[in-house]
Amino acid sequence: MVLELQKPRPIWQIMFSTHHTDVGLLYTITSLTFFFMGGALALGIRAELFYPGTQIISDSMTFNRMFTVHGTTLIFLFLLPFASAVGNYFVPIMVRYKDMAYPKLNAVAFWMIPPGGALIWLGFADFTWYATPPYSAISAPGPAADMWIFAQKILGVSSILGAINFIVTILKCKHPDLPLSKAPLLAWSFLSSSLIIIVAVPTFAAALVMLLTDRLGVSGFFDPAKGGDPIAYQHLFWFTFHPEVYVLVIPAIGMMYEIIPRFSRKPIFSHGSGIFAFVMLSIVAFSSWAHHMYSTGMSFTEKTVFMIGTLAAVPASAMHVFNFLATMWGGRIKFATPMMWAVGGIALFFSAGAGGVANSAMPFDFITHDTYWVVGHFHLFVMGTIAFGSIGFLYYMFPYITGRMYNEAAGKAHFIMSFVGTVMVFFTQHVLGLYGMPRRVFDYMPLPEYIVMNQIASVGAMIIGASMVIWIINMIYSSAKGKEANMEDPWGLGGKYYFPHQAKNPHH
Amino acid sequence: MSGHSNWPEWVYIGVVICLLAYVGAEAWNVERLVDHAPAEAEIIKVTGQQWFWTFEHADGTKEIGELHVKKGQPYKFEITAKDVNHAFNIHDYVVLQDAVVGRVNTVWFAPEQAGEYTIQCREYCGLLHYNMRATLYVEEN
């Protein structure tokens, strides 16, 4: 799986390749590019909110566009493609097949992402990543909204193609000697998240078509004047995007399952409960979508049903956390950079999950809904868990991709700064939400507690930003000039774990 | 699967489920209490539009951008929106309900303390969403 960056190939050979590691490299580079672009917008947003009043962003429309594109970019153009990157590298090797099941389809799925990203960034829409009608149907500026909708269609098709590819690769192409129940948990995570994608994403695809025809004035699905209902869109949207958060988090957990046993020098505590929890999560993911909509005027019975559905997702996540801790228990742990990211990710996963339990309780939801609590809660998931797992895994993949070692001290500095920054930003945002600061606001009331909390959060964001600069310098410098890695055992852990690292599928 | 026993995991999952059942039951009970408006509640019609709030009292008086209510009296808000979705929120009294075009949502509260409170929009509604506020004046009887 070494990409032989030491013996560089011309860029077009990688770009036109259908080999799974090449497509994985393209996914990695694209998703990281969008990570830095979306992160830059986040820093802009935090800088604007440092003081009440107008700071660096000239008007609220620009601000609204910034947070819309920030969210869309980081979810659809960083997290999802990054998971595909890891899947592309590892799934074929883990199921012992020469490539993905459909290599050309794989390349096609990747090449839909850059045009989708271009549409989102060139349009720069302003209706938040929910695109809730009637606002998105009547008020949003024309080309931007249409470009956003079209980009989402493209990205949706791309993720469905990718999901089909993973499912077929795992179920149909795995080596006959490898029973599915013994397949590594990372492969299982891709199987479950791909199944969610296939069930969930078509719903949103339908909603987008309905939204587009509403915008064109030929239908009124979401327009009460024409007999429609704006809440219908929210149901369709959340039926896709509540499960979608599990699509993001399940591969990240799978990545931790790869890192933690290896750096604890112990087998995973329970392979079976890991599989069980993945499957449970992907089923109950669908039972909780309307907990995003308690305040839209639901009946008491509906609210109760969805509260129970939401709470049902918690034990499965708790099983993963237990599995991680039980694996580390009594292990000879080596806190190299990937392990630090994974363990930090677990800690933040636990905090975010605890906040989620509190939030699913109906009365509490009315305090926190659409406040900064929610912003803090889901950012703790996406940054604290998913991005931490992903970044840790990228450090883990680094020697296998480049044949060189990253700088360990810089990696640790990156982790510590990011962890401190994440706690500063997102724990503070929980508190801000309890004080009642609404989300998606360009300006806030100059109350002393708002100002202090926002400033802590903004400073934390700058710390994260600085740590990411260290990261990118480390990655670029080390991939060119880093110490050559011992490919058998880059971290000196001794012994081989689980899957054949030396395996490298030949180019074809 | 492996040689060790899994019982700690099942104990742990049992504890988690008990905890969730407790949280769920407690939340259900509280919500049941706050969901039913008292019969004597006075009705106030609330309309959200870009980017201000309009209030209409039972006697037909209208207010824009401010709302005057009496301390101790329960009020039931009938909330709707004219153009796009908004959310009606009095954070200090944990009043939150979306204002949805074509629907009337209800929520009730009974102010206990005289004073001024902020009413704000909590659902993103465009250019001046951040500034879509009103003031609630709770007056002594």
Side-chain angles (χ1 to χ4, degrees):
Chain A
M1 88 170 240
V2 184
L3 275 164
E4 296 157 0
L5 286 193
Q6 293 145 304
K7 289 178 265 168
R9 285 175 290 150
I11 184 77
W12 58 86
Q13 280 191 12
I14 297 174
M15 286 170 71
F16 297 121
S17 166
T18 59
H19 189 262
H20 68 104
T21 54
D22 289 339
V23 178
L25 183 68
L26 292 172
Y27 265 118
T28 312
I29 293 170
T30 311
S31 66
L32 291 181
T33 308
F34 282 116
F35 175 69
F36 287 106
M37 289 165 76
L41 289 183
L43 292 184
I45 292 168
R46 283 318 319 170
E48 172 58 43
L49 293 173
F50 192 81
Y51 287 116
T54 309
Q55 319 307 322
I56 58 161
I57 299 169
S58 55
D59 60 302
S60 78
M61 188 47 77
T62 313
F63 182 86
N64 298 343
R65 287 165 184 262
M66 279 173 70
F67 68 66
T68 300
V69 175
H70 157 76
T72 315
T73 302
L74 288 177
I75 289 175
F76 300 104
L77 301 170
F78 163 56
L79 295 175
L80 283 174
F82 189 82
S84 301
V86 171
N88 264 291
Y89 274 113
F90 283 83
V91 167
I93 291 172
M94 286 183 163
V95 300
R96 292 194 261 149
Y97 188 62
K98 61 183 172 13
D99 202 328
M100 295 290 281
Y102 307 114
K104 280 184 186 155
L105 190 71
N106 199 24
V108 169
F110 166 74
W111 282 106
M112 294 176 97
I113 290 174
L119 281 172
I120 287 170
W121 274 79
L122 295 175
F124 233 67
D126 80 305
F127 46 39
T128 82
W129 78 279
Y130 304 170
T132 317
Y135 185 69
S136 62
I138 60 172
S139 299
D146 299 325
M147 285 162 86
W148 187 91
I149 291 172
F150 205 58
Q152 292 292 26
K153 297 291 291 184
I154 295 174
L155 296 174
V157 172
S158 159
S159 65
I160 288 178
L161 295 182
I164 291 172
N165 221 339
F166 282 127
I167 291 174
V168 177
T169 310
I170 295 167
L171 293 184
K172 286 284 169 200
C173 301
K174 75 178 167 52
H175 197 276
D177 290 349
L178 178 76
L180 196 55
S181 61
K182 292 268 187 270
L185 285 168
L186 186 64
W188 266 99
S189 75
F190 278 95
L191 183 61
S192 4
S193 66
S194 301
L195 286 171
I196 299 179
I197 288 179
I198 291 212
V199 179
V201 170
T203 314
F204 184 53
L208 281 175
V209 174
M210 290 152 87
L211 183 60
L212 189 65
T213 54
D214 270 18
R215 285 180 55 80
L216 297 171
V218 293
S219 65
F221 293 109
F222 309 125
D223 180 3
K226 294 179 182 166
D229 184 359
I231 301 300
Y233 177 87
Q234 296 191 22
H235 278 291
L236 295 172
F237 181 88
W238 286 117
F239 183 77
T240 298
F241 283 104
H242 186 75
E244 189 83 359
V245 303
Y246 293 96
V247 171
L248 306 171
V249 84
I250 285 175
I253 292 175
M255 294 173 205
M256 292 176 182
Y257 270 126
E258 203 50 40
I259 293 171
I260 283 169
R262 193 158 157 74
F263 286 84
S264 306
R265 297 165 166 127
K266 238 180 105 197
I268 194 84
F269 173 76
S270 170
H271 192 85
S273 83
I275 294 175
F276 177 78
F278 277 139
V279 175
M280 270 305 281
L281 262 187
S282 52
I283 295 169
V284 293
F286 288 95
S287 69
S288 50
W289 81 87
H291 70 216
H292 298 264
M293 299 166 57
Y294 285 156
S295 67
T296 55
M298 293 178 113
S299 74
F300 180 56
T301 318
E302 285 171 290
K303 282 187 278 194
T304 309
V305 167
F306 282 105
M307 180 181 71
I308 295 167
T310 306
L311 292 175
V314 179
S317 321
M319 281 171 85
H320 288 305
V321 174
F322 185 88
N323 233 343
F324 292 139
L325 298 183
T327 305
M328 290 196 294
W329 189 281
R332 287 190 302 123
I333 301 172
K334 176 156 189 175
F335 278 104
T337 308
M339 184 66 172
M340 292 178 93
W341 284 94
V343 173
I346 296 166
L348 297 174
F349 181 53
F350 185 82
S351 343
V357 172
N359 213 13
S360 67
M362 297 175 275
F364 193 71
D365 181 80
F366 288 91
I367 303 175
T368 58
H369 185 75
D370 269 328
T371 66
Y372 260 84
W373 169 287
V374 176
V375 178
H377 165 68
F378 81 80
H379 276 85
L380 213 50
F381 263 119
V382 293
M383 174 72 198
T385 307
I386 308 170
F388 269 46
S390 304
I391 293 172
F393 205 76
L394 198 75
Y395 276 112
Y396 180 72
M397 286 159 69
F398 192 84
Y400 299 122
I401 296 178
T402 61
R404 293 175 184 275
M405 246 354 229
Y406 56 84
N407 182 313
E408 189 72 37
K412 284 185 171 141
H414 176 206
F415 168 76
I416 291 166
M417 286 169 74
S418 290
F419 191 82
V420 170
T422 302
V423 169
M424 278 173 78
V425 183
F426 304 125
F427 281 56
T428 316
Q429 287 184 338
H430 280 79
V431 184
L432 258 181
L434 293 178
Y435 278 119
M437 179 167 154
R439 67 196 284 202
R440 301 184 172 127
V441 287
F442 170 62
D443 190 12
Y444 51 89
M445 283 183 286
L447 308 175
E449 55 266 39
Y450 279 16
I451 297 174
V452 172
M453 294 287 165
N454 272 299
Q455 290 182 344
I456 296 173
S458 295
V459 170
M462 299 307 154
I463 295 175
I464 298 178
S467 77
M468 294 301 164
V469 174
I470 297 178
W471 184 36
I472 194 166
I473 293 172
N474 188 5
M475 292 278 120
I476 293 173
Y477 180 82
S478 300
S479 58
K481 294 254 166 72
K483 184 167 74 109
E484 293 219 0
N486 166 16
M487 297 307 293
E488 289 299 309
D489 188 10
W491 289 274
L493 298 167
K496 284 206 184 73
Y497 258 88
Y498 296 123
F499 78 92
H501 289 295
Q502 73 277 31
K504 175 176 177 289
N505 289 325
H507 279 82
H508 51 80
Chain B
M1 303 217 79
S2 38
H4 57 78
S5 112
N6 277 359
W7 69 264
E9 180 152 24
W10 296 115
V11 171
Y12 165 80
I13 291 301
V15 171
V16 168
I17 290 174
C18 291
L19 204 66
L20 293 180
Y22 169 74
V23 170
E26 195 76 347
W28 182 83
N29 194 31
V30 173
E31 186 67 17
R32 193 174 53 86
L33 294 176
V34 298
D35 221 46
H36 296 101
E40 75 275 18
E42 223 172 86
I43 289 173
I44 298 178
K45 287 188 177 137
V46 180
T47 310
Q49 55 190 303
Q50 289 170 325
W51 289 276
F52 60 94
W53 294 103
T54 316
F55 305 97
E56 188 182 339
H57 291 272
D59 59 3
T61 23
K62 281 195 178 179
E63 296 183 87
I64 294 174
E66 49 187 54
L67 173 63
H68 292 81
V69 295
K70 297 265 187 296
K71 184 178 144 183
Q73 162 76 32
Y75 292 91
K76 184 173 171 185
F77 296 106
E78 292 185 351
I79 305 159
T80 188
K82 273 204 174 143
D83 37 28
V84 303
N85 292 353
H86 306 272
F88 177 72
N89 169 229
I90 312 169
H91 186 74
D92 295 298
Y93 281 106
V94 196
V95 169
L96 174 71
Q97 197 62 252
D98 284 6
V100 181
V101 186
R103 286 193 178 204
V104 178
N105 288 333
T106 58
V107 64
W108 75 278
F109 88 130
E112 295 137 6
Q113 281 227 300
E116 285 179 29
Y117 302 93
T118 306
I119 295 171
Q120 59 192 359
C121 176
R122 258 209 218 167
E123 183 76 57
Y124 176 73
C125 57
L127 184 66
L128 296 184
H129 162 64
Y130 71 94
N131 211 15
M132 186 172 163
R133 299 186 194 126
T135 315
L136 170 74
Y137 296 95
V138 180
E139 293 160 350
E140 295 285 349
N141 256 327

